[in-house]
Amino acid sequence: GAGVSQTPSNKVTEKGKYVELRCDPISGHTALYWYRQSLGQGPEFLIYFQGTGAADDSGLPNDRFFAVRPEGSVSTLKIQRTERGDSAVYLCASSPGPAYTEAFFGQGTRLTVV
Amino acid sequence: QKEVEQDPGPLSVPEGAIVSLNCTYSNSAFQYFMWYRQYSRKGPELLMYTYSSGNKEDGRFTAQVDKSSKYISLFIRDSQPSDSATYLCASGMDSNYQLIWGAGTKLIIKP
């Protein structure tokens, strides 16, 4: 595709449910980042993949959050036992290499936990 | 104290004015200083970045970094209504891939 694609655009879920958020990076981009943006705030780093492996997952807030990228392309962010505080826009970015100076962002998935 | 501080605004200026957007940071290890533009319900879009100190110009946009005062600026000349958006500064180090972001300044250009 022409850009980074994230699905769904919007997700409303009940507290305690499990959700999966998908990111399709730009074709050929080896680096992939997940960020979380709360209302009125800047993005907050969650995890960085180089290829299939998570090179840095230090931003994941707790063990309810997990992300995978099994074939080095599409990535899925998984949130277990969702809480109202998880409500935010989840942004994905990809770049041709590790330098975040070349990263392109998707439009984000707006997650609302009710 | 947040590592990158930015006034949330809103900042409202008339069309054609010069806009000055600013951030301060606290971590002296930061080497990358980025400016992003974010329209409502869209992802951030990189405008420009500076490595270490100095100025960088791209069309109507100029980025400045003063490492002695830990101050980052973005200037927009001949501002247009289409420049109305939230502007986010972000900083990073050579040693890892985490960008630390300001909260963003909402800019409104009045026709």
Side-chain angles (χ1 to χ4, degrees), chain A residues 101-102, chain B residues 32-35 46-51 56 63:
Chain A
T101 54
E102 299 172 318
Chain B
Y32 288 92
F33 304 95
M34 333 275 285
W35 283 98
L46 179 64
L47 286 173
M48 55 200 308
Y49 74 91
T50 307
Y51 182 78
K56 191 169 187 178

Side-chain angles (χ1 to χ4, degrees), chain A residues 7-71:
Chain A
T7 52
S9 298
N10 288 282
K11 175 72 176 178
V12 180
T13 191
E14 291 181 349
K15 179 175 177 292
K17 298 289 189 183
Y18 167 84
V19 295
E20 290 190 352
L21 312 179
R22 177 186 168 107
C23 173
D24 279 88
I26 293 172
S27 178
H29 280 193
T30 59
L32 186 145
Y33 307 81
W34 282 99
Y35 286 86
R36 177 170 69 175
Q37 187 173 23
S38 300
L39 190 64
Q41 300 297 315
E44 172 191 5
F45 172 83
L46 295 177
I47 187 168
Y48 159 65
F49 286 93
Q50 181 58 42
T52 61
D56 184 350
D57 65 356
S58 62
L60 295 176
N62 51 59
D63 61 6
R64 296 187 298 106
F65 289 74
F66 190 70
V68 296
R69 195 186 185 199
E71 297 177 359

